[in-house]
């Protein structure tokens, strides 16, 4: 199988974010950190497909790109839409005496994980 | 999707997190039952939203108010006491009655261990008619789930006026004398 050369044109308004590109057998092909809204990444691989992992402030977007018909299409446009995080304020009080609990830790586990 | 650990200091904390619904668990709160956390679900809907949570404790503190501040002293017969902050200015929870045996019981208080006690503060608000309240903030180190403490309430004194006159020459004041009053109680 010959090596395919593809260009990924990535648009993302939330920066900086980390990019990791894997072959379909799990081998990492390329990693980088994007600091601008537009990034262009060149990938050369024999893999039938590549997986793009983009990470921003604890969020991860995964995108698979099929390269099997890549003979005529070498450029892929990708939009990354990370969610805007929200700040929450939490209070923790004694249920029976309504006094503030001086020292504690609460774990928030996302139900979609 | 990420999980988040929110640190609480003096009852408050804040965190930036993605929108969504979360299952919330208490992972650290010395003195408290972590399984008593309420509520256990929280939905992040918008920026600067707020979440109010509570925890319960299971300790029991018994405070006896008497004339000695130790076991065996004559107890007061009524009064009130309340949990406060360290200054005694801010009151927490209900005012607790002191019963006819001089005892006030605080249920569901946080507690630690003998090595690391949980410090609680109280203020006596009233005593019975024959005793003075303990004026200072009462400081208790809860080092066990059940604990007893004693607080002193001194007897009240009232001003009395006496005359000592000659029994045979009515009205003649005795110039220089000393009377001793011994308590029969």
């Amino acid at each position: 199988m010959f090596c395919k050369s593809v260009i990924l044109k990535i648009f993302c308004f939330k920066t900086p974010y980390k990019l990791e590109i894997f072959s379909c057998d799990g081998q990492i092909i390329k990693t980088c950190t994007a600091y601008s809204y537009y990034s262009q990444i060149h990938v050369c691989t024999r893999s039938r497909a590549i997986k793009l992992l983009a990470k921003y402030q604890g969020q991860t977007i995964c995108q698979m790109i099929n390269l099997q018909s890549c003979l005529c299409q070498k450029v892929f446009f990708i939009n990354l839409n990370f969610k805007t995080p929200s700040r929450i304020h939490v209070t923790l009080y004694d249920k029976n005496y309504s006094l503030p609990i001086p020292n504690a830790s609460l774990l928030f586990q996302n139900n979609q994980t | 999707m990420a999980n988040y650990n929110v640190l609480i200091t003096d009852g408050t904390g804040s965190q930036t997190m993605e929108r969504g619904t979360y299952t919330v668990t208490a992972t650290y709160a010395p003195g408290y039952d972590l399984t008593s956390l309420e509520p256990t679900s929280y939905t992040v809907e918008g920026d600067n939203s707020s979440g109010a949570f509570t925890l319960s404790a299971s300790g029991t503190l018994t405070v006896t108010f008497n004339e000695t501040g130790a076991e065996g002293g004559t107890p007061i017969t009524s009064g009130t006491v309340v949990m406060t902050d360290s200054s005694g200015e801010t009151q927490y929870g209900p005012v607790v009655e002191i019963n006819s045996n001089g005892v006030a019981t605080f249920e569901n208080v946080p507690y630690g261990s003998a090595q690391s006690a949980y410090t609680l503060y109280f203020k006596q608000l009233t005593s019975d008619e024959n005793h003075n309240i303990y004026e200072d903030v009462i400081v208790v180190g809860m080092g066990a789930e059940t604990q007893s403490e004693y607080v002193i309430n001194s007897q009240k004194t009232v001003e009395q006026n006496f005359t000592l006159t000659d029994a045979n020459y009515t009205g003649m004041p005795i110039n220089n004398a000393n009377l001793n009053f011994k308590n029969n109680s």
Side-chain angles (χ1 to χ4, degrees):
Chain A
M1 190 184 298
F2 61 92
C3 189
K4 284 164 260 192
S5 175
V6 296
I7 294 174
L8 305 178
K9 291 182 184 270
I10 304 172
F11 295 90
C12 178
F13 288 110
K14 295 197 168 38
T15 60
Y17 60 93
K18 187 177 178 183
L19 274 172
E20 296 173 339
I21 301 170
F22 299 84
S23 61
C24 59
D25 61 358
Q27 297 292 319
I28 193 156
I29 299 173
K30 186 169 277 191
T31 65
C32 64
T33 299
Y35 294 94
S36 58
Y37 296 156
Y38 167 72
S39 298
Q40 183 167 297
I41 297 175
H42 177 236
V43 175
C44 192
T45 180
R46 296 178 189 277
S47 179
R48 294 188 303 276
I50 57 174
K51 180 169 75 175
L52 180 81
L53 280 183
K55 298 179 180 179
Y56 171 79
Q57 290 190 359
Q59 298 177 57
T60 301
I61 294 176
C62 178
Q63 194 147 340
M64 295 297 294
I65 300 169
N66 190 338
L67 303 180
Q68 284 185 320
S69 59
C70 197
L71 285 174
C72 56
Q73 183 175 359
K74 291 188 178 179
V75 178
F76 293 87
F77 293 90
I78 297 165
N79 276 323
L80 298 175
N81 294 311
F82 292 107
K83 293 181 184 179
T84 302
S86 302
R87 175 158 286 274
I88 68 159
H89 302 278
V90 173
T91 61
L92 182 62
Y93 278 66
D94 184 302
K95 181 179 180 179
N96 298 290
Y97 294 93
S98 299
L99 67 92
I101 292 176
N103 191 12
S105 176
L106 298 179
L107 175 64
F108 286 71
Q109 292 177 285
N110 196 304
N111 289 348
Q112 290 176 274
T113 302
Chain B
M1 292 297 195
N3 298 327
Y4 302 90
N5 213 47
V6 181
L7 298 180
I8 303 293
T9 303
D10 291 332
T12 64
S14 67
Q15 176 69 48
T16 302
M17 56 176 73
E18 305 159 28
R19 296 185 185 208
T21 299
Y22 294 79
T23 298
V24 189
T25 50
T27 56
Y28 178 80
Y32 285 88
D33 176 5
L34 299 182
T35 65
S36 68
L37 182 72
E38 291 179 356
T40 56
S41 179
Y42 182 76
T43 299
V44 179
E45 292 173 341
D47 202 18
N48 286 314
S49 55
S50 302
F53 296 84
T54 62
L55 279 173
S56 290
S58 60
T60 300
L61 172 66
T62 302
V63 185
T64 302
F65 295 79
N66 63 21
E67 292 178 359
T68 61
E71 191 174 357
T74 302
I76 67 173
T77 56
S78 64
T80 53
V81 59
V82 68
M83 185 185 289
T84 67
D85 65 355
S86 60
S87 72
E89 298 293 320
T90 302
Q91 296 182 3
Y92 297 124
V95 173
V96 175
E97 296 285 333
I98 301 170
N99 68 19
S100 59
N101 295 316
V103 176
T105 302
F106 289 85
E107 304 279 1
N108 297 113
V109 296
Y111 66 94
S113 62
Q115 293 77 29
S116 180
Y118 197 103
T119 304
L120 297 171
Y121 304 93
F122 303 88
K123 200 81 171 73
Q124 185 180 5
L125 302 176
T126 60
S127 187
D128 64 22
E129 61 182 3
N130 298 316
H131 294 87
N132 301 305
I133 66 170
Y134 184 79
E135 297 282 353
D136 295 334
V137 174
I138 301 165
V139 183
V140 174
M142 278 294 288
E145 188 170 5
T146 304
Q147 189 162 314
S148 296
E149 298 290 335
Y150 293 86
V151 175
I152 191 167
N153 272 201
S154 59
Q155 279 186 300
K156 275 186 180 172
T157 57
V158 289
E159 190 77 10
Q160 299 292 289
N161 297 308
F162 302 97
T163 59
L164 183 63
T165 57
D166 190 299
N168 298 293
Y169 294 91
T170 307
M172 183 175 88
I174 294 173
N175 218 3
N176 190 6
N178 199 6
L179 297 178
N180 181 273
F181 289 79
K182 185 178 177 183
N183 197 317
N184 291 338
S185 304

